[in-house]
Amino acid sequence: MNRRQFLAISTACALLPATGRAGAMRLRAEPVAVRLLPDEEGHGPAEMLGFNGRTPGPEIRVRAGGRVSVAFENGIDRPSAIHWHGIHIDNAMDGVPGLTQDAVAPGATFEYDFAAPHPGTYWYHAHHRSWEQVAKGLYGPLIVEERDPPKVDRDIAVVLDDWRLTPDGGLHPSFGNRHDFSHAGRLGNYARAFFSRDRVRAGDRVRLRLINAATARTFKVRIGGGSGAVVAQDGMPLAAPEPMGEPVLAPAQRTDIVLDAANPVTFHLLPRGEPYPLGTLAVEGANPAPARGPVEPLPPTPVAAPDAKGARRLTLAMEGGAMGGRHRGDDFWAFNGRSGMPDAPWQRFARGETARITMRNDTAFPHGIHIHGHHFHELGADGTPGHYRDTTLVDPRKSRDVLCVFDNPGKWLIHCHTLGHQASGMKTWVEVA
Ligand code: C2O
Ligand code: CU
């Protein structure tokens, strides 16, 4: 099947499974059969992995400050673990085999129990052989609600992903392909959005929570059918809403948008060629009392103030890859000349210490760098703080400074969220005492 055939396929509406209220719940990783392509094409289902029988897994919702308590049952034939991406979490619950826990053996159960301090849009995903387990579907949305949520008519999670499919609609078996690892990662040939509900009324004010669950693809998205504003990035509120524009999400990034829907709300991926349809929220009926007035900012999340002047100056140089800089490591990718996990942490911080990290991309590919357990301020060229994120996209041959207050004790992974890059060397860790 070639790309033109894919572009000719209409996007069926794809609904996320029902919400799980976090109190105590169970998440079982298991094989699932999923029909990704529309039925009328006569394709069989793809053999994938999911939680509780579905991919994406159930949307978990919890009130800020509340606890998430999940019995994770591993029903697949390989070890696994769950990472709660973006949560300033208790280190023991971070879900990183080899650093914060042992991988959960097939048939075994692990109890995750943690507080979710900050409201926002997060997600959970497998963190063992993630380049394969996430690509096969082991992920889901994790929504931490404001204590006093802003008024909207609809609150809809929009999970973006792509898959590499065979002509009969199955997952292409080329997992762990070394060519993918040394280039842009496992890019799919078919992309789609999953929605937590698939209709709105004309005049509704809708909160859209975009989550990029892809293992490699950066999504640039065009949203039609209404006017909107960006209110949060990676779960964290913006001081003032920003024009919606065409949001760009690196793997693992999230963007919250508040949109006043006038018509069906359409989502298109903007690749190099024609806009590619990802899905549509249909319009059914009209809102008798549409919201008026500008989109208000979300209530601010109190976070630790960085000590910009006293910050420890560090450089994290991304190296390697095809057509890339040399490094001394023994795999494709490296940070600062070191490929793979060092035995000792890259840095140790006293709790509350601020670091100013220059993330310098010396390679020919973009990298979305994620720091576990923390958010950090992206700094503009003149040093002014911009967005407060947990994953930052650095383009080839570019560099970005970030300011991070390391105030969460424990051992924290730092890695590229192109998961094939992580697997082939682009990772390290820090320790906060
Ligand atoms: Cu979402 Cu270590 O990653
Ligand atoms: Cu990368």
Side-chain angles (χ1 to χ4, degrees):
M1 186 163 1
N2 61 38
R3 190 157 175 89
R4 283 185 55 194
Q5 283 172 292
F6 276 122
L7 287 167
I9 291 168
S10 70
T11 46
C13 65
L15 275 182
L16 286 163
T19 299
R21 262 282 149 193
M25 65 177 291
R26 141 189 184 281
L27 270 187
R28 180 178 170 82
E30 55 197 0
V32 295
V34 181
R35 199 177 292 279
L36 287 168
L37 298 176
D39 248 352
E40 64 268 23
E41 302 291 316
H43 299 296
E47 303 293 320
M48 300 181 64
L49 300 175
F51 288 108
N52 301 357
R54 300 283 304 265
T55 178
E59 179 181 299
I60 300 176
R61 282 192 172 250
V62 62
R63 195 49 72 87
R67 289 196 88 77
V68 178
S69 179
V70 170
F72 166 55
E73 300 172 15
N74 185 2
I76 67 172
D77 60 6
R78 282 201 189 258
S80 192
I82 305 182
H83 171 55
W84 313 89
H85 184 113
I87 303 288
H88 294 206
I89 202 168
D90 171 2
N91 191 240
M93 297 289 125
D94 198 39
V96 181
L99 194 64
T100 67
Q101 68 170 98
D102 293 332
V104 184
T109 295
F110 186 91
E111 306 280 344
Y112 288 100
D113 181 51
F114 56 90
H118 306 312
T121 301
Y122 300 92
W123 65 303
Y124 59 92
H125 62 80
H127 213 294
H128 183 73
R129 291 171 69 89
S130 56
W131 46 272
E132 178 179 17
Q133 294 186 4
V134 175
K136 286 185 171 175
L138 280 185
Y139 59 77
L142 172 57
I143 310 296
V144 184
E145 298 169 342
E146 290 83 7
R147 287 174 168 281
D148 186 16
K151 274 214 174 35
V152 291
D153 300 301
R154 296 283 184 267
D155 182 327
I156 301 180
V158 181
V159 180
L160 308 169
D161 200 356
D162 70 346
W163 303 267
R164 186 177 296 175
L165 301 182
T166 58
D168 62 357
L171 286 187
H172 198 283
S174 53
F175 291 100
N177 178 290
R178 303 292 285 169
H179 184 272
D180 289 339
F181 279 15
S182 63
H183 290 73
R186 182 182 169 94
L187 292 169
N189 51 10
Y190 178 69
R192 186 167 106 175
F194 294 99
F195 302 114
S196 56
R197 52 192 305 164
D198 64 353
R199 45 209 64 214
V200 297
R201 296 169 303 178
D204 273 350
R205 180 160 280 190
V206 187
R207 180 169 182 175
L208 300 169
R209 301 172 179 271
L210 274 59
I211 301 170
N212 183 358
T215 59
R217 181 178 296 280
T218 291
F219 279 81
K220 182 177 187 186
V221 187
R222 178 176 295 163
I223 303 171
S227 61
V230 176
V231 294
Q233 298 284 19
D234 292 353
M236 292 294 174
L238 307 187
E242 294 175 1
M244 179 168 71
E246 288 167 345
V248 174
L249 290 89
Q253 288 188 323
R254 289 89 62 212
T255 297
D256 281 39
I257 290 166
V258 173
L259 175 128
D260 292 325
N263 293 304
V265 183
T266 57
F267 296 81
H268 285 86
L269 168 66
L270 299 176
R272 270 183 284 274
E274 258 176 59
Y276 175 100
L278 294 167
T280 300
L281 300 172
V283 164
E284 198 173 71
N287 185 328
R292 286 178 210 286
V295 170
E296 300 288 333
L298 298 174
T301 295
V303 296
D307 171 13
K309 284 216 177 70
R312 194 191 299 182
R313 291 278 194 152
L314 299 167
T315 296
L316 192 66
M318 300 156 226
E319 297 158 342
M323 303 164 282
R326 287 176 181 280
H327 61 88
R328 283 166 287 124
D330 55 5
D331 212 335
F332 294 133
W333 301 95
F335 280 137
N336 297 345
R338 164 80 211 212
S339 189
M341 283 289 273
D343 293 332
W346 170 50
Q347 299 290 323
R348 293 180 204 275
F349 298 105
R351 186 173 182 182
E353 205 179 333
T354 301
R356 177 171 176 158
I357 308 174
T358 300
M359 298 197 176
R360 199 182 71 216
N361 185 346
D362 294 338
T363 81
F365 294 88
H367 304 285
I369 305 298
H370 172 43
I371 302 181
H372 279 221
H374 297 79
H375 279 61
F376 47 79
H377 302 268
E378 293 182 334
L379 298 183
D382 58 354
T384 49
H387 294 147
Y388 185 57
R389 315 202 62 135
D390 59 45
T391 304
T392 187
L393 177 61
V394 188
D395 283 328
R397 316 287 174 205
K398 292 280 187 317
S399 138
R400 167 171 297 120
D401 282 20
V402 305
L403 213 47
C404 185
V405 183
F406 286 95
D407 59 354
N408 194 358
K411 299 174 174 181
W412 303 107
L413 205 60
I414 300 179
H415 64 89
C416 177
H417 226 288
T418 292
L419 298 175
H421 294 178
Q422 175 194 357
S424 54
M426 200 178 275
K427 57 180 164 245
T428 189
W429 62 290
V430 297
E431 183 157 27
V432 181

